[in-house]
Amino acid sequence: MANYRIPKEITTELKINKALYLFDLIFMIALLVIAMVLGKVVHSSLEIPFYIFMGLIGVISIIRPHTNPQKRMYQAIFIAFSRKKDTYCSIDIPEDETEGKINHG
């Protein structure tokens, strides 16, 4: 009878090294392919600046903002643009953080 190992969780991202995840590498490769395809329609004198620009866009897109380290920058930008601007929600502060900080006068 075969013995199969079932992972306990599957949501953890695969890390290649200290700062690079597998998704980031695939994202950068896909962006490079898109840049190479679009590079054919860019004027020949602007090809190198175009590739530098696309590289910067790729690096900035995969950076994780320190305010929300679970998301990447492109996800944070998408959420910011797609949310409803006229909808607000309260931010609850736990009581143990507000204790002693309330100024009544």
Side-chain angles (χ1 to χ4, degrees), residues 16-35:
I16 294 176
N17 63 15
K18 187 176 181 180
L20 188 67
Y21 291 89
L22 180 64
F23 177 82
D24 297 340
L25 182 65
I26 293 171
F27 183 84
M28 291 299 289
I29 291 171
L31 193 66
L32 177 66
V33 169
I34 291 170

Side-chain angles (χ1 to χ4, degrees), residues 3 9 29 31 41 43 45 73-74 80-81 88 97 101:
N3 185 10
E9 48 89 19
I29 291 171
L31 193 66
V41 297
H43 192 274
S45 64
M73 189 63 74
Y74 75 89
F81 283 124
Y88 299 96
E97 289 182 16
K101 295 182 182 178

Side-chain angles (χ1 to χ4, degrees), residues 24 56 58-66 71-74:
D24 297 340
L56 287 174
V59 169
I60 290 171
S61 295
I62 63 173
I63 290 175
R64 294 176 182 260
H66 68 278
K71 302 281 184 200
R72 290 180 176 83
M73 189 63 74
Y74 75 89

